[in-house]
Amino acid sequence: MSKVTFQKSNTAFYSTLKSRVDEYFKSHHLEKTGNWELYTKTLILVPLAVGLFFSVLFFHDSLSVVASLGMCALLGLTLASMGFNIMHDACHGAYSKKDWVNELLGYSLNIMGGNAFIWKQKHNIIHHTYTNVDGVDDDIAKSPLIRQCYTQKWVPAHKWQHIYMFIVYAISSFAWVFIMDFNKYLSRKIYRTKMWDVNRKEQIIFWVGKLYYLGVFILLPISIVGLKAWAIGFGVMHVTMGLSLALVFQLAHVVEGAQFEEAYDDKHIENDWAIHQVVTTANFAPKNLLVRWYVGGLNYQIEHHLFPKVSHVHYPAISQIVKDVCKEYHINYNEFKTTRSAILSHIKMMKEFGDHPQPVAA
Ligand SMILES: [Zn+2]
C-alpha cells in the first residue's frame, strides 16, 4: 500500500474544535457514548426485525403476496437501520462506555451477514483515516463498475453510471455478504491494504457467522416457504437494505463540494487529518427528524468523521460548534438542506464523472 501522510505542523483547527466539544460534554454533564435514545432505538429495531422475519416466515400462507413482499422490504430497511444505529456506533466503541457491550453489539453485523472484524479495519481505520483517498479508501473502490472520482479509469459505459448505479447499490449488500467479505478474507487484503492478522478466533467467527447466515437466512426459509418464494423475498430484502446502506454512505462523500485525493503512490496531503475529514464529507437533511432517526445520525457525517467515538445521538447538539469553528478557520462546511437535494447532487456528480474523463475547466 502507498504511504499517505497528513500535514501535522498546523493542527489549530482540530485542537480548538476538540476543546470546545469536550467543554460541551463537560458543561452538560454528558457521556460521549450512547444514551436512552440509542437504547430505545435498539429496543424498537431489534424486536421489529425479529418479528418481521418470523412473521413472514410462519404466516406467509395467510398473507397476501403484496403484504409478504412489503414485509420483506421493511425487513431490509430495518436491518439497514440496525446497521446505522447499533452496529456502526458499537463498532466505533461509541454505543456504550463498556467495551464488552460495544464488542457484543458489533457482532450484530455478523448476524446480518457481514463480519465485524473486517468492517472495523475497512471502516474505522481505512475509510475514517483516508476518506476519499483514491487508491486507499475501499468505499470508493468500485471502479471499473462505477467511477467515483476523476483519478479513476474512465470507460465509455460510465456515461450511464448515474442510472445503472442504482442497480449496483441495490445488489450491494448481497455482494457484501456473498462476495466482498470472502474476497477480503481469502486475499487477506482490503482493497490495497494488507489485512490485520486473522487469528484462529477470528477465522472461527468468520466461518461460523457465514454458516449461521446460510442456515437462518437461506436454508431455514427455503424449508418453510419453498425455493421460489424465498428467492423473491430474500431478493426484495437485499434490494431495500443495499439501496439504503449504499445511498447513505454515498451522500456523505460523493456529492458536489466533496474533495478527493489520489494515492496510488506515496502521498502527502496538504491538509491536516481533521480538515481533510471536513472537506471530503457532507451532511444532509439536518432538520429531518425521521431521516436522522432512521440513518443513525449519519446525515451528520462531518461530525461523525471528526468524532467517530462520540455516539451519533450527540451529533445534532455538537454540529453548531463544528459549524462555528469551521467558519472561524474558513473551512467550507458542506451541508445539503434536504435528502432530495443530496441525492440529486450525488446523481449530478456521478453523471459528471461518467461524462468527463477529466474535470471540465470552469
Ligand atoms: Zn463510521
Side-chain angles (χ1 to χ4, degrees):
M1 160 196 175
S2 47
K3 191 166 174 282
V4 182
T5 52
F6 292 95
Q7 183 269 105
K8 283 196 176 116
S9 57
N10 183 4
T11 54
F13 165 71
Y14 192 42
S15 45
T16 307
L17 183 61
K18 243 186 353 190
S19 66
R20 288 204 205 158
V21 167
D22 283 346
E23 182 54 36
Y24 164 80
F25 282 102
K26 222 165 129 187
S27 61
H28 288 79
H29 309 288
L30 291 170
E31 295 288 346
K32 291 178 180 174
T33 41
N35 58 14
W36 61 268
E37 188 187 331
L38 184 51
Y39 310 146
T40 310
K41 280 181 171 187
T42 309
L43 291 175
I44 292 170
L45 289 169
V46 175
L48 179 62
V50 174
L52 282 166
F53 180 79
F54 286 108
S55 301
V56 80
L57 220 53
F58 293 116
F59 304 114
H60 68 281
D61 277 344
S62 44
L63 291 168
S64 68
V65 174
V66 175
S68 293
L69 292 182
M71 285 168 77
C72 291
L74 189 57
L75 177 59
L77 292 175
T78 309
L79 292 174
S81 191
M82 279 172 60
F84 298 137
N85 283 282
I86 305 166
M87 178 282 281
H88 186 229
D89 265 31
C91 283
H92 274 297
Y95 187 98
S96 164
K97 273 196 300 183
K98 297 184 176 72
D99 287 345
W100 68 268
V101 175
N102 292 318
E103 176 95 18
L104 189 72
L105 291 178
Y107 286 123
S108 58
L109 179 56
N110 297 49
I111 289 173
M112 293 186 280
N115 179 271
F117 175 80
I118 295 175
W119 170 263
K120 282 178 189 172
Q121 190 182 2
K122 169 194 154 64
H123 182 80
N124 296 8
I125 307 296
I126 299 173
H127 172 66
H128 270 273
T129 311
Y130 308 107
T131 314
N132 275 13
V133 178
D134 180 30
V136 186
D137 186 356
D138 190 56
D139 280 24
I140 55 163
K142 292 163 185 71
S143 176
L145 206 55
I146 51 176
R147 183 179 191 242
Q148 292 164 290
C149 56
Y150 285 119
T151 48
Q152 293 174 345
K153 191 177 179 319
W154 180 85
V155 296
H158 288 146
K159 279 182 191 289
W160 296 278
Q161 68 168 2
H162 61 290
I163 299 162
Y164 72 67
M165 68 183 184
F166 289 103
I167 299 169
V168 176
Y169 296 167
I171 58 167
S172 62
S173 61
F174 182 87
W176 178 351
V177 173
F178 294 101
I179 303 169
M180 284 161 357
D181 264 357
F182 285 98
N183 269 346
K184 290 181 173 80
Y185 180 83
L186 297 172
S187 69
R188 296 292 199 266
K189 271 171 100 176
I190 296 173
Y191 187 26
R192 296 168 70 229
T193 306
K194 196 171 169 290
M195 222 159 97
W196 292 331
D197 181 40
V198 189
N199 62 27
R200 184 63 59 86
K201 179 187 153 201
E202 293 303 338
Q203 291 176 28
I204 294 170
I205 291 173
F206 180 89
W207 289 110
V208 168
K210 295 295 180 187
L211 285 172
Y212 141 86
Y213 194 78
L214 174 73
V216 173
F217 278 84
I218 300 174
L219 300 180
L220 176 72
I222 291 174
S223 72
I224 297 171
V225 302
L227 182 64
K228 194 175 151 202
W230 164 80
I232 297 169
F234 189 69
V236 168
M237 178 191 84
H238 266 292
V239 164
T240 55
M241 184 156 108
L243 273 175
S244 41
L245 288 172
L247 269 177
V248 167
F249 285 102
Q250 293 300 322
L251 298 190
H253 303 293
V254 188
V255 286
E256 290 160 288
Q259 295 180 16
F260 294 86
E261 297 279 354
E262 172 268 335
Y264 281 87
D265 294 309
D266 289 359
K267 170 92 180 178
H268 179 70
I269 292 174
E270 290 306 320
N271 286 320
D272 85 329
W273 170 83
I275 296 175
H276 176 79
Q277 296 307 312
V278 179
V279 299
T280 53
T281 308
N283 287 4
F284 64 93
K287 295 208 167 83
N288 190 324
L289 295 180
L290 183 66
V291 167
R292 187 199 297 176
W293 195 96
Y294 176 72
V295 305
L298 289 178
N299 51 336
Y300 285 87
Q301 286 266 11
I302 296 175
E303 286 70 21
H304 174 58
H305 269 261
L306 289 164
F307 300 100
K309 285 184 181 299
V310 170
S311 170
H312 75 265
V313 293
H314 304 294
Y315 295 158
I318 63 170
S319 69
Q320 195 54 50
I321 303 171
V322 177
K323 260 186 199 171
D324 291 344
V325 180
C326 281
K327 206 170 167 190
E328 282 169 38
Y329 283 82
H330 308 290
I331 300 163
N332 185 38
Y333 182 98
N334 197 5
E335 179 179 74
F336 293 86
K337 296 283 172 235
T338 61
T339 309
R340 187 172 170 270
S341 61
I343 293 175
L344 288 175
S345 181
H346 176 57
I347 295 171
K348 195 174 164 189
M349 282 316 292
M350 292 301 283
K351 187 169 183 334
E352 181 73 27
F353 294 137
D355 281 346
H356 306 291
Q358 291 303 321
V360 179

